[in-house]
Protein backbone atom coordinates (compact mmCIF):
# COMPACT_ATOMS: atom_id res chain seq x y z
CA UNK A 1 0.00 0.00 0.00
CA UNK A 2 1.77 3.12 -1.15
CA UNK A 3 1.06 6.61 0.10
CA UNK A 4 1.49 10.09 -1.26
CA UNK A 5 2.00 11.78 2.09
CA UNK A 6 3.21 10.67 5.48
CA UNK A 7 3.13 12.07 8.99
CA UNK A 8 4.85 11.45 12.32
CA UNK A 9 4.08 12.64 15.84
CA UNK A 10 6.57 13.70 18.47
CA UNK A 11 5.13 13.79 21.97
CA UNK A 12 7.21 15.84 24.35
CA UNK A 13 5.99 14.40 27.55
CA UNK A 14 7.59 13.54 30.87
CA UNK A 15 4.06 12.97 32.16
CA UNK A 16 3.49 10.18 29.60
CA UNK A 17 6.87 8.57 30.26
CA UNK A 18 6.38 8.64 34.03
CA UNK A 19 3.10 6.76 33.66
CA UNK A 20 1.15 9.59 35.24
CA UNK A 21 -0.99 10.25 32.17
CA UNK A 22 -2.00 8.17 29.17
CA UNK A 23 -1.52 9.92 25.85
CA UNK A 24 -4.81 11.13 24.43
CA UNK A 25 -3.66 12.73 21.19
CA UNK A 26 -2.29 9.93 19.01
CA UNK A 27 -5.63 8.24 18.28
CA UNK A 28 -7.26 11.57 17.41
CA UNK A 29 -4.42 12.76 15.18
CA UNK A 30 -4.14 9.34 13.48
CA UNK A 31 -7.83 9.32 12.61
CA UNK A 32 -8.03 12.91 11.38
CA UNK A 33 -4.82 12.67 9.36
CA UNK A 34 -5.78 9.26 7.95
CA UNK A 35 -9.10 10.64 6.72
CA UNK A 36 -7.21 13.38 4.91
CA UNK A 37 -4.96 10.80 3.26
CA UNK A 38 -1.88 11.63 5.34
CA UNK A 39 -1.29 8.42 7.27
CA UNK A 40 0.61 8.48 10.55
CA UNK A 41 3.74 6.34 10.14
CA UNK A 42 5.66 6.83 13.39
CA UNK A 43 5.26 8.22 16.90
CA UNK A 44 7.99 9.07 19.37
CA UNK A 45 7.64 10.12 22.99
CA UNK A 46 10.67 11.87 24.43
CA UNK A 47 11.54 13.61 27.69
CA UNK A 48 11.50 17.38 28.24
CA UNK A 49 15.20 17.53 27.43
CA UNK A 50 16.53 19.84 24.73
CA UNK A 51 18.83 17.41 22.96
CA UNK A 52 16.17 14.70 22.90
CA UNK A 53 13.65 17.09 21.34
CA UNK A 54 16.14 18.37 18.77
CA UNK A 55 17.33 14.94 17.67
CA UNK A 56 13.85 13.47 17.40
CA UNK A 57 12.48 16.51 15.56
CA UNK A 58 15.23 16.48 12.95
CA UNK A 59 15.10 12.69 12.50
CA UNK A 60 11.34 12.71 11.93
CA UNK A 61 11.31 15.90 9.83
CA UNK A 62 13.79 14.31 7.44
CA UNK A 63 11.98 10.99 7.20
CA UNK A 64 8.33 12.09 6.87
CA UNK A 65 6.40 14.78 5.03
CA UNK A 66 4.93 16.30 8.20
CA UNK A 67 5.78 16.16 11.89
CA UNK A 68 3.30 17.13 14.60
CA UNK A 69 4.71 17.78 18.05
CA UNK A 70 2.57 18.05 21.17
CA UNK A 71 3.52 19.39 24.57
CA UNK A 72 5.90 21.81 26.20
CA UNK A 73 4.80 25.17 24.74
CA UNK A 74 3.31 26.64 27.93
CA UNK A 75 4.67 29.35 30.23
CA UNK A 76 6.60 27.31 32.80
CA UNK A 77 10.31 26.50 33.15
CA UNK A 78 9.80 22.95 31.83
CA UNK A 79 8.16 24.21 28.63
CA UNK A 80 11.22 24.10 26.41
CA UNK A 81 9.76 22.86 23.13
CA UNK A 82 9.68 26.22 21.29
CA UNK A 83 13.27 27.09 22.18
CA UNK A 84 14.41 23.55 21.35
CA UNK A 85 12.73 23.58 17.92
CA UNK A 86 14.29 26.99 17.16
CA UNK A 87 17.67 25.51 18.04
CA UNK A 88 16.98 22.44 15.88
CA UNK A 89 16.52 24.72 12.86
CA UNK A 90 19.23 27.18 14.05
CA UNK A 91 16.98 30.22 14.15
CA UNK A 92 16.29 32.77 16.88
CA UNK A 93 13.04 33.44 18.68
CA UNK A 94 11.21 36.63 17.76
CA UNK A 95 8.14 38.31 19.17
CA UNK A 96 4.94 37.56 17.28
CA UNK A 97 3.14 40.84 17.87
CA UNK A 98 -0.44 39.82 16.97
CA UNK A 99 -0.20 37.01 19.54
CA UNK A 100 1.17 39.36 22.19
CA UNK A 101 -1.73 41.75 21.53
CA UNK A 102 -4.22 38.89 21.79
CA UNK A 103 -2.63 37.83 25.07
CA UNK A 104 -2.62 41.42 26.40
CA UNK A 105 -6.29 41.68 25.68
CA UNK A 106 -7.02 38.26 27.23
CA UNK A 107 -4.79 38.41 30.32
CA UNK A 108 -4.77 42.14 31.05
CA UNK A 109 -2.82 42.75 34.28
CA UNK A 110 -2.13 39.00 34.58
CA UNK A 111 0.15 39.02 31.51
CA UNK A 112 3.42 38.32 33.33
CA UNK A 113 6.85 37.57 31.86
CA UNK A 114 6.26 33.81 31.97
CA UNK A 115 3.16 34.18 29.80
CA UNK A 116 4.82 36.63 27.41
CA UNK A 117 7.29 33.83 26.59
CA UNK A 118 4.47 32.16 24.69
CA UNK A 119 4.33 35.01 22.15
CA UNK A 120 7.90 34.35 21.00
CA UNK A 121 8.13 32.05 17.98
CA UNK A 122 11.08 30.81 15.94
CA UNK A 123 12.02 33.17 13.10
CA UNK A 124 10.30 32.21 9.88
CA UNK A 125 7.56 30.20 11.53
CA UNK A 126 3.85 30.60 10.86
CA UNK A 127 1.64 30.82 13.95
CA UNK A 128 -1.14 28.31 14.51
CA UNK A 129 -3.99 30.19 16.12
CA UNK A 130 -7.19 28.88 17.66
CA UNK A 131 -10.19 30.36 19.42
CA UNK A 132 -9.45 28.27 22.52
CA UNK A 133 -6.28 30.03 23.60
CA UNK A 134 -4.53 33.30 22.88
CA UNK A 135 -1.10 31.61 22.87
CA UNK A 136 -0.27 30.17 19.45
CA UNK A 137 1.37 27.02 18.19
CA UNK A 138 3.45 27.37 15.05
CA UNK A 139 4.64 25.71 11.88
CA UNK A 140 8.29 25.81 10.89
CA UNK A 141 9.35 23.97 7.72
CA UNK A 142 7.39 20.70 7.85
CA UNK A 143 7.04 20.67 11.65
CA UNK A 144 3.80 21.69 13.40
CA UNK A 145 4.36 22.58 17.04
CA UNK A 146 1.26 22.26 19.18
CA UNK A 147 0.07 22.26 22.78
CA UNK A 148 -0.16 19.01 24.72
CA UNK A 149 -3.56 19.55 26.36
CA UNK A 150 -5.82 17.46 24.11
CA UNK A 151 -8.55 20.03 23.40
CA UNK A 152 -5.96 22.64 22.43
CA UNK A 153 -3.84 20.19 20.43
CA UNK A 154 -6.92 19.04 18.56
CA UNK A 155 -8.10 22.59 17.87
CA UNK A 156 -4.63 23.41 16.53
CA UNK A 157 -4.68 20.34 14.26
CA UNK A 158 -8.09 21.27 12.92
CA UNK A 159 -6.97 24.83 12.26
CA UNK A 160 -4.10 23.65 10.03
CA UNK A 161 -5.93 20.92 8.12
CA UNK A 162 -6.92 23.28 5.31
CA UNK A 163 -3.26 24.09 4.73
CA UNK A 164 -2.41 20.41 4.19
CA UNK A 165 -2.97 18.51 0.95
CA UNK A 166 -5.84 16.07 0.60
CA UNK A 167 -4.36 12.67 -0.16
CA UNK A 168 -6.46 9.65 -0.90
CA UNK A 169 -7.91 8.66 2.45
CA UNK A 170 -7.07 5.29 3.93
CA UNK A 171 -10.27 3.26 4.22
CA UNK A 172 -10.81 0.30 6.48
CA UNK A 173 -13.35 -2.36 7.35
CA UNK A 174 -13.26 -5.05 9.96
CA UNK A 175 -14.81 -8.36 10.88
CA UNK A 176 -14.79 -9.63 14.47
CA UNK A 177 -15.44 -13.08 15.90
CA UNK A 178 -14.70 -15.16 18.96
CA UNK A 179 -12.05 -17.11 17.11
CA UNK A 180 -8.35 -17.62 17.79
CA UNK A 181 -5.79 -15.87 15.61
CA UNK A 182 -4.01 -19.10 14.80
CA UNK A 183 -7.16 -20.57 13.24
CA UNK A 184 -7.32 -17.78 10.65
CA UNK A 185 -3.61 -17.33 9.95
CA UNK A 186 -3.53 -19.44 6.77
CA UNK A 187 -6.56 -17.86 5.12
CA UNK A 188 -5.37 -14.37 6.06
CA UNK A 189 -2.00 -15.07 4.52
CA UNK A 190 -3.67 -16.28 1.32
CA UNK A 191 -5.99 -13.28 1.14
CA UNK A 192 -3.15 -10.84 1.80
CA UNK A 193 -1.31 -12.41 -1.14
CA UNK A 194 -4.44 -12.18 -3.33
CA UNK A 195 -4.95 -8.46 -2.51
CA UNK A 196 -1.52 -6.83 -2.33
CA UNK A 197 -3.10 -3.35 -2.47
CA UNK A 198 -4.55 -3.67 1.05
CA UNK A 199 -3.04 -4.21 4.49
CA UNK A 200 -4.65 -7.06 6.35
CA UNK A 201 -4.10 -7.05 10.11
CA UNK A 202 -5.45 -9.13 12.96
CA UNK A 203 -5.80 -7.95 16.54
CA UNK A 204 -6.70 -10.32 19.36
CA UNK A 205 -8.89 -9.06 22.18
CA UNK A 206 -10.36 -10.41 25.41
CA UNK A 207 -14.02 -9.69 26.12
CA UNK A 208 -16.35 -11.50 28.49
CA UNK A 209 -13.29 -13.56 29.43
CA UNK A 210 -13.17 -14.97 25.91
CA UNK A 211 -10.51 -14.62 23.25
CA UNK A 212 -11.67 -12.86 20.12
CA UNK A 213 -10.15 -11.38 17.01
CA UNK A 214 -10.62 -8.28 14.87
CA UNK A 215 -9.48 -8.69 11.31
CA UNK A 216 -8.95 -5.29 9.70
CA UNK A 217 -8.52 -4.59 5.99
CA UNK A 218 -7.06 -1.18 5.20
CA UNK A 219 -6.20 0.52 1.97
CA UNK A 220 -7.34 2.91 -0.71
CA UNK A 221 -9.18 0.43 -2.94
CA UNK A 222 -12.64 -0.16 -1.51
CA UNK A 223 -13.34 -3.09 -3.86
CA UNK A 224 -10.31 -5.00 -2.60
CA UNK A 225 -11.26 -4.22 0.98
CA UNK A 226 -14.84 -5.41 0.49
CA UNK A 227 -13.78 -8.60 -1.28
CA UNK A 228 -11.17 -9.44 1.34
CA UNK A 229 -13.55 -8.85 4.23
CA UNK A 230 -16.28 -10.94 2.57
CA UNK A 231 -13.92 -13.85 2.00
CA UNK A 232 -12.71 -13.78 5.59
CA UNK A 233 -16.28 -13.56 6.88
CA UNK A 234 -17.30 -16.54 4.74
CA UNK A 235 -14.35 -18.52 6.05
CA UNK A 236 -15.22 -17.71 9.66
CA UNK A 237 -18.78 -18.88 9.04
CA UNK A 238 -17.61 -22.17 7.53
CA UNK A 239 -15.64 -22.73 10.73
CA UNK A 240 -18.95 -22.42 12.58
CA UNK A 241 -18.44 -19.06 14.30
CA UNK A 242 -20.75 -16.08 14.65
CA UNK A 243 -19.30 -12.80 13.49
CA UNK A 244 -19.79 -9.05 13.51
CA UNK A 245 -19.02 -7.07 10.39
CA UNK A 246 -19.06 -3.32 10.02
CA UNK A 247 -21.26 -1.65 7.46
CA UNK A 248 -19.93 -1.31 3.94
CA UNK A 249 -18.06 1.91 3.37
CA UNK A 250 -19.45 4.41 0.89
CA UNK A 251 -17.89 4.04 -2.54
CA UNK B 1 17.92 13.90 38.38
CA UNK B 2 20.32 11.12 37.45
CA UNK B 3 19.34 7.52 37.04
CA UNK B 4 21.14 4.22 37.32
CA UNK B 5 19.03 2.42 34.77
CA UNK B 6 16.92 3.45 31.83
CA UNK B 7 14.29 1.82 29.65
CA UNK B 8 12.60 2.44 26.32
CA UNK B 9 9.53 0.91 24.72
CA UNK B 10 9.06 0.04 21.07
CA UNK B 11 5.45 -0.50 20.08
CA UNK B 12 5.09 -2.40 16.84
CA UNK B 13 1.63 -1.37 15.96
CA UNK B 14 -0.17 -0.54 12.74
CA UNK B 15 -3.37 -0.54 14.81
CA UNK B 16 -2.07 2.30 17.00
CA UNK B 17 -0.81 4.33 14.03
CA UNK B 18 -4.09 3.93 12.13
CA UNK B 19 -6.00 5.34 15.09
CA UNK B 20 -8.01 2.16 15.47
CA UNK B 21 -6.75 1.44 18.99
CA UNK B 22 -5.28 3.57 21.75
CA UNK B 23 -2.11 2.13 23.27
CA UNK B 24 -2.78 0.57 26.64
CA UNK B 25 0.70 -0.63 27.59
CA UNK B 26 2.85 2.50 28.03
CA UNK B 27 1.21 3.73 31.22
CA UNK B 28 1.39 0.29 32.81
CA UNK B 29 5.00 -0.34 31.83
CA UNK B 30 6.05 3.19 32.88
CA UNK B 31 4.54 2.76 36.34
CA UNK B 32 5.90 -0.73 36.99
CA UNK B 33 9.38 0.10 35.69
CA UNK B 34 9.44 3.43 37.54
CA UNK B 35 8.64 1.68 40.83
CA UNK B 36 11.57 -0.64 40.24
CA UNK B 37 13.87 2.33 39.63
CA UNK B 38 14.16 1.80 35.88
CA UNK B 39 12.52 4.94 34.46
CA UNK B 40 11.06 4.92 30.95
CA UNK B 41 12.94 7.48 28.87
CA UNK B 42 11.57 7.05 25.35
CA UNK B 43 8.76 5.38 23.44
CA UNK B 44 8.53 4.74 19.72
CA UNK B 45 5.60 3.41 17.73
CA UNK B 46 6.52 2.00 14.32
CA UNK B 47 4.72 0.19 11.54
CA UNK B 48 4.78 -3.58 11.00
CA UNK B 49 7.64 -3.16 8.53
CA UNK B 50 10.89 -5.08 8.95
CA UNK B 51 13.32 -2.23 8.37
CA UNK B 52 11.40 0.09 10.72
CA UNK B 53 11.46 -2.53 13.49
CA UNK B 54 15.16 -3.27 12.97
CA UNK B 55 16.27 0.36 12.94
CA UNK B 56 14.21 1.35 15.97
CA UNK B 57 15.28 -1.72 17.96
CA UNK B 58 18.97 -1.12 17.37
CA UNK B 59 18.74 2.63 18.02
CA UNK B 60 16.94 2.13 21.33
CA UNK B 61 19.04 -0.87 22.41
CA UNK B 62 22.17 1.20 22.01
CA UNK B 63 20.82 4.24 23.81
CA UNK B 64 19.06 2.68 26.82
CA UNK B 65 19.75 -0.12 29.28
CA UNK B 66 16.59 -2.04 28.41
CA UNK B 67 14.15 -2.05 25.51
CA UNK B 68 10.68 -3.54 25.77
CA UNK B 69 8.87 -4.25 22.51
CA UNK B 70 5.16 -5.01 22.31
CA UNK B 71 3.22 -6.45 19.40
CA UNK B 72 3.67 -8.61 16.37
CA UNK B 73 4.66 -11.98 17.88
CA UNK B 74 1.45 -13.86 17.03
CA UNK B 75 0.80 -16.52 14.37
CA UNK B 76 -0.37 -14.41 11.42
CA UNK B 77 1.43 -13.13 8.34
CA UNK B 78 1.69 -9.60 9.77
CA UNK B 79 3.43 -10.84 12.94
CA UNK B 80 6.99 -10.14 11.85
CA UNK B 81 8.55 -8.90 15.09
CA UNK B 82 10.43 -12.09 16.04
CA UNK B 83 11.99 -12.52 12.59
CA UNK B 84 12.84 -8.79 12.43
CA UNK B 85 14.55 -8.83 15.83
CA UNK B 86 16.56 -11.92 14.84
CA UNK B 87 17.67 -10.06 11.73
CA UNK B 88 18.54 -6.97 13.79
CA UNK B 89 20.96 -9.07 15.84
CA UNK B 90 21.99 -11.21 12.80
CA UNK B 91 21.01 -14.53 14.32
CA UNK B 92 18.77 -17.34 13.04
CA UNK B 93 15.51 -18.57 14.47
CA UNK B 94 15.61 -21.91 16.25
CA UNK B 95 12.93 -24.12 17.71
CA UNK B 96 12.40 -23.67 21.45
CA UNK B 97 11.34 -27.23 22.29
CA UNK B 98 9.79 -26.64 25.74
CA UNK B 99 7.49 -24.03 24.19
CA UNK B 100 6.54 -26.33 21.34
CA UNK B 101 5.69 -29.05 23.88
CA UNK B 102 3.60 -26.62 25.88
CA UNK B 103 1.79 -25.57 22.72
CA UNK B 104 1.24 -29.18 21.65
CA UNK B 105 -0.33 -29.92 24.97
CA UNK B 106 -2.48 -26.75 24.85
CA UNK B 107 -3.58 -26.79 21.20
CA UNK B 108 -3.63 -30.53 20.48
CA UNK B 109 -4.96 -31.09 16.95
CA UNK B 110 -5.30 -27.30 16.47
CA UNK B 111 -1.52 -26.79 16.52
CA UNK B 112 -1.12 -25.77 12.87
CA UNK B 113 1.98 -24.44 11.10
CA UNK B 114 1.01 -20.82 11.77
CA UNK B 115 0.95 -21.45 15.52
CA UNK B 116 4.18 -23.50 15.47
CA UNK B 117 5.90 -20.34 14.19
CA UNK B 118 5.48 -18.91 17.71
CA UNK B 119 7.82 -21.59 19.16
CA UNK B 120 10.75 -20.36 17.08
CA UNK B 121 12.96 -17.83 18.88
CA UNK B 122 16.15 -16.04 17.85
CA UNK B 123 19.30 -18.06 18.67
CA UNK B 124 20.68 -17.11 22.06
CA UNK B 125 17.46 -15.64 23.36
CA UNK B 126 15.85 -16.51 26.67
CA UNK B 127 12.12 -17.26 26.54
CA UNK B 128 9.66 -15.18 28.58
CA UNK B 129 6.97 -17.55 29.74
CA UNK B 130 3.66 -16.81 31.43
CA UNK B 131 0.69 -18.83 32.62
CA UNK B 132 -1.61 -16.88 30.30
CA UNK B 133 -0.34 -18.25 27.02
CA UNK B 134 1.73 -21.19 25.85
CA UNK B 135 3.54 -19.03 23.24
CA UNK B 136 6.54 -17.27 24.77
CA UNK B 137 8.06 -13.83 24.45
CA UNK B 138 11.84 -13.67 24.69
CA UNK B 139 14.83 -11.64 25.77
CA UNK B 140 17.79 -11.16 23.46
CA UNK B 141 20.68 -8.98 24.68
CA UNK B 142 18.95 -6.03 26.37
CA UNK B 143 15.72 -6.32 24.36
CA UNK B 144 12.57 -7.90 25.79
CA UNK B 145 10.13 -8.94 23.07
CA UNK B 146 6.55 -9.20 24.27
CA UNK B 147 3.00 -9.63 23.02
CA UNK B 148 0.87 -6.59 22.24
CA UNK B 149 -2.36 -7.71 23.91
CA UNK B 150 -2.23 -5.82 27.22
CA UNK B 151 -2.93 -8.68 29.62
CA UNK B 152 -0.25 -10.82 27.97
CA UNK B 153 2.26 -7.96 27.69
CA UNK B 154 1.74 -7.13 31.34
CA UNK B 155 2.08 -10.75 32.45
CA UNK B 156 5.33 -10.97 30.46
CA UNK B 157 6.65 -7.80 32.08
CA UNK B 158 5.82 -9.11 35.53
CA UNK B 159 7.51 -12.41 34.79
CA UNK B 160 10.82 -10.69 33.95
CA UNK B 161 10.85 -8.11 36.76
CA UNK B 162 12.81 -10.40 39.07
CA UNK B 163 15.58 -10.64 36.46
CA UNK B 164 15.99 -6.85 36.39
CA UNK B 165 17.96 -4.83 38.93
CA UNK B 166 16.19 -2.80 41.57
CA UNK B 167 17.18 0.80 41.12
CA UNK B 168 16.11 3.54 43.46
CA UNK B 169 12.46 4.08 42.64
CA UNK B 170 11.31 7.42 41.28
CA UNK B 171 8.91 8.97 43.78
CA UNK B 172 6.37 11.65 43.05
CA UNK B 173 3.80 13.86 44.72
CA UNK B 174 1.39 16.35 43.26
CA UNK B 175 -0.70 19.33 44.17
CA UNK B 176 -3.71 20.35 42.08
CA UNK B 177 -5.70 23.57 41.98
CA UNK B 178 -7.97 25.53 39.66
CA UNK B 179 -5.23 27.96 38.83
CA UNK B 180 -3.62 28.93 35.51
CA UNK B 181 -0.14 27.70 34.68
CA UNK B 182 1.12 31.21 34.00
CA UNK B 183 0.30 32.32 37.54
CA UNK B 184 2.63 29.71 39.02
CA UNK B 185 5.44 29.85 36.47
CA UNK B 186 7.72 32.13 38.50
CA UNK B 187 7.43 30.28 41.78
CA UNK B 188 7.89 26.94 40.03
CA UNK B 189 11.02 28.19 38.34
CA UNK B 190 12.40 29.37 41.70
CA UNK B 191 11.58 26.08 43.42
CA UNK B 192 13.07 24.03 40.59
CA UNK B 193 16.29 26.04 41.03
CA UNK B 194 16.17 25.52 44.80
CA UNK B 195 15.75 21.73 44.45
CA UNK B 196 17.87 20.58 41.52
CA UNK B 197 17.53 16.94 42.59
CA UNK B 198 13.84 16.81 41.64
CA UNK B 199 11.93 17.31 38.40
CA UNK B 200 9.11 19.78 38.75
CA UNK B 201 6.46 19.60 36.04
CA UNK B 202 3.09 21.26 35.54
CA UNK B 203 0.22 19.81 33.55
CA UNK B 204 -2.87 21.85 32.74
CA UNK B 205 -6.24 20.11 32.67
CA UNK B 206 -9.85 21.02 31.97
CA UNK B 207 -12.48 19.74 34.40
CA UNK B 208 -16.00 21.04 34.94
CA UNK B 209 -15.21 23.46 32.10
CA UNK B 210 -12.54 25.10 34.23
CA UNK B 211 -8.80 25.30 33.70
CA UNK B 212 -6.77 23.61 36.41
CA UNK B 213 -3.21 22.56 36.97
CA UNK B 214 -1.37 19.59 38.43
CA UNK B 215 2.09 20.39 39.70
CA UNK B 216 4.14 17.21 40.02
CA UNK B 217 7.44 16.84 41.88
CA UNK B 218 9.41 13.72 40.96
CA UNK B 219 12.71 12.39 42.11
CA UNK B 220 14.50 10.04 44.46
CA UNK B 221 14.82 12.40 47.45
CA UNK B 222 11.55 12.39 49.37
CA UNK B 223 12.60 15.34 51.54
CA UNK B 224 13.14 17.57 48.53
CA UNK B 225 9.84 16.42 47.05
CA UNK B 226 7.94 17.12 50.26
CA UNK B 227 9.52 20.56 50.72
CA UNK B 228 8.87 21.58 47.13
CA UNK B 229 5.24 20.46 47.22
CA UNK B 230 4.65 22.24 50.55
CA UNK B 231 6.10 25.48 49.22
CA UNK B 232 3.99 25.36 46.10
CA UNK B 233 0.87 24.54 48.12
CA UNK B 234 1.56 27.47 50.43
CA UNK B 235 2.00 29.78 47.46
CA UNK B 236 -1.27 28.61 45.90
CA UNK B 237 -3.06 29.30 49.20
CA UNK B 238 -1.61 32.81 49.42
CA UNK B 239 -3.07 33.43 45.95
CA UNK B 240 -6.45 32.55 47.44
CA UNK B 241 -7.05 29.18 45.75
CA UNK B 242 -8.29 25.88 47.15
CA UNK B 243 -6.06 22.92 46.45
CA UNK B 244 -5.83 19.15 46.57
CA UNK B 245 -2.62 17.53 47.68
CA UNK B 246 -1.82 13.83 47.68
CA UNK B 247 -0.88 12.03 50.86
CA UNK B 248 2.75 12.11 51.90
CA UNK B 249 4.77 9.23 50.53
CA UNK B 250 6.22 6.72 52.95
CA UNK B 251 9.80 7.56 53.83
Amino acid sequence: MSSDQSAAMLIIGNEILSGRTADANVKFFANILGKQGIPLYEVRVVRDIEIEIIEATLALAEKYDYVFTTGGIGPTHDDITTASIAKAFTVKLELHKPSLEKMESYYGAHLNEARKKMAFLPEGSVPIETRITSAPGFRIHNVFVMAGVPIIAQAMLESVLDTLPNGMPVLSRFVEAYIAEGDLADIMDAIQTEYPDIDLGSYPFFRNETVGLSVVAKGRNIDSINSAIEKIATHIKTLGHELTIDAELPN
Side-chain angles (χ1 to χ4, degrees), chain A residues 10 14 47 77 90 110 118 121 126 161 200 203 212 243:
Chain A
L10 174 60
N14 280 357
R47 289 177 285 167
H77 68 93
T90 57
H110 296 283
M118 295 192 286
L121 306 182
V126 178
L161 282 180
L200 205 57
Y203 308 107
L243 57 84

Side-chain angles (χ1 to χ4, degrees), chain A residues 1 19 40 55 75-76 78 86-88 92 107 127 132 143 148 172 178 183 186 195 197 203 224-225 232 237 245:
Chain A
M1 193 178 75
L40 184 64
E55 286 183 358
T76 57
D78 59 332
K87 223 173 215 182
K92 290 184 181 167
Y107 287 110
I132 290 185
V143 179
S172 75
Y178 285 105
D183 290 324
D186 290 347
Y195 299 98
D197 60 345
Y203 308 107
S224 296
I225 292 174
I232 289 162
K237 279 181 203 155
I245 194 164

Side-chain angles (χ1 to χ4, degrees), chain A residues 72-112:
Chain A
I73 63 169
T76 57
H77 68 93
D78 59 332
D79 288 308
I80 62 168
T81 298
T82 300
S84 301
I85 300 277
K87 223 173 215 182
F89 291 112
T90 57
V91 295
K92 290 184 181 167
L93 294 175
E94 66 183 3
L95 180 65
H96 183 247
K97 280 180 193 157
S99 290
L100 183 65
E101 282 160 19
K102 241 178 155 181
M103 289 168 66
E104 281 168 346
S105 130
Y106 179 79
Y107 287 110
H110 296 283
L111 183 60
N112 54 25

Side-chain angles (χ1 to χ4, degrees), chain A residues 9-11 37 63-64 75 77-78 80 83 100 109 136-137 139 176 186 192 210-211 215 230-231:
Chain A
M9 284 183 77
L10 174 60
I11 297 164
K63 195 167 176 187
Y64 303 102
H77 68 93
D78 59 332
I80 62 168
L100 183 65
R139 172 184 182 158
E176 285 185 352
D186 290 347
Q192 177 68 80
T210 311
V211 179
V215 177
E230 272 164 36
K231 283 182 185 174

